[in-house]
Amino acid sequence: MVPALTMPSDAKLNPLISPSDVDRTSRDVLLEPADSPRLANLCGLTDEHLRQVESRLGVEISNRGNQFRVTGAPERVVMADELLRDLYRQTDQEVLNPVAVHLFLQQSRVESLLTPQLNEIQEISILTKRGMVRGRGPNQQRYLSAILSHDLSFGIGPAGTGKTYLAVAAAVDALQKDRVRRIVLVRPAVEAGEHLGFLPGDMAQKVDPYLRPLYDALYDMLGFEKVDKMIERGIIEVAPLAFMRGRTLSEAFIILDEAQNTTVEQMKMFLTRIGFGSTAVVTGDVTQVDLPRHTSSGLRNVIDILEGVKGVSFSFFTSKDVVRHPLVQRIVDAYERAEKSSGAGDEAKGK
């Protein structure tokens, strides 16, 4: 009688563990030359850089001098080997820190390697005054690709995932290649309970604080003087959402930022402003709505309404796509856990 095959006990207890995770292997990685300062740079203070790689890939890394041992699922061990070698080459050019390692892991397309179907995403680069702007990781690449191939694109996710910056980069690229005649930057004038009427100054001075992130991205890509001249000539227009009513925007690249703070009516009004030859990008974070209580967010509402509509794309970002300080990613995760816990508690009370 042939004995039945059995899985290890941890695989039985945890259905998320796949056979490849249980089938662990080890690989020795020799990094040369054996340079002590470079090796210390690679590992980081108390091996914090190695811990980052471990956490992202789900492997274990130990070392003695320039001899490293990586243990984990076979395909992840291979990835860790390549990443360690690439990072070690970087130590010859720069001093690493947790932020640099975090960004390196984002750019290394780890997620696409862990999820093979994401390898089909074409890498897109946009030339700006500061050099090439590229999407960090598969989600950002997919977002850029969607912007270039759709008339209307939505970028939805937490702060720090590059939604606005990449949209502005695509707008600058379209303007420089004469695909559009102007850039229109729009934001709803609602911020944590503040309204335009409470702010001092004329309308331009009232609007500026709300549009500052958009200005910053433009200055970063085109320079102060060029942006100011384009604004004077009307090539770049910045305006609060309320000013869009009654207009039709043709041959323009339109960006609606912080769209979670639009009402359902405002979102519909904005989307119906899109004219011939125009591209529109809507960005926002549905977890940071500053609208009055009992007022529905237009961004949340439009996700269901426009699902499956031809010419419209939705790109959803997660904490893994955060390209700011690594702490931001952990903060986003903590809030998501708290919101899920609160939601579960509310459901239990309702029962």
Side-chain angles (χ1 to χ4, degrees), residues 22-35:
V22 176
D23 183 21
R24 291 163 64 83
T25 186
S26 294
R27 171 182 289 202
D28 291 328
V29 182
L30 184 66
L31 299 180
E32 295 181 320
D35 184 302

Side-chain angles (χ1 to χ4, degrees), residues 292-326:
R293 276 189 169 189
H294 309 301
T295 301
S296 299
S297 166
L299 184 59
R300 286 176 176 166
N301 178 261
V302 81
I303 294 173
D304 294 327
I305 291 178
L306 296 186
E307 183 181 7
V309 174
K310 186 177 180 181
V312 180
S313 74
F314 286 90
S315 298
F316 295 94
F317 297 91
T318 68
S319 61
K320 292 181 180 179
D321 302 302
V322 172
V323 292
R324 293 179 182 169
H325 192 288

Side-chain angles (χ1 to χ4, degrees), residues 125-134 165 169 172 176 220-222:
S125 301
I126 295 174
L127 181 62
T128 68
K129 180 181 177 68
R130 286 195 61 182
M132 300 301 294
V133 174
R134 296 183 177 86
Y165 193 87
V172 169
Q176 291 177 333
D220 200 28
M221 295 174 199
L222 294 173

Side-chain angles (χ1 to χ4, degrees), residues 109 112 116-126 133-149 177:
R109 304 188 71 184
S112 66
Q117 61 268 31
L118 296 179
N119 285 322
E120 300 173 5
I121 302 169
Q122 181 183 1
E123 185 166 332
I124 298 170
S125 301
I126 295 174
V133 174
R134 296 183 177 86
R136 300 180 189 270
N139 270 353
Q140 287 195 358
Q141 284 290 342
R142 182 166 38 238
Y143 177 52
L144 275 177
S145 178
I147 291 174
L148 297 179
S149 58
K177 292 180 178 177

Side-chain angles (χ1 to χ4, degrees), residues 40-71:
N41 186 10
L42 171 68
C43 296
L45 186 66
T46 65
D47 291 339
E48 60 182 338
H49 300 160
L50 297 184
R51 300 294 84 83
Q52 281 182 266
V53 177
E54 285 181 333
S55 175
R56 196 64 178 270
L57 288 180
V59 298
E60 297 174 7
I61 303 174
S62 60
N63 76 297
R64 177 172 295 179
N66 67 329
Q67 181 76 46
F68 289 73
R69 170 161 288 187
V70 184
T71 303

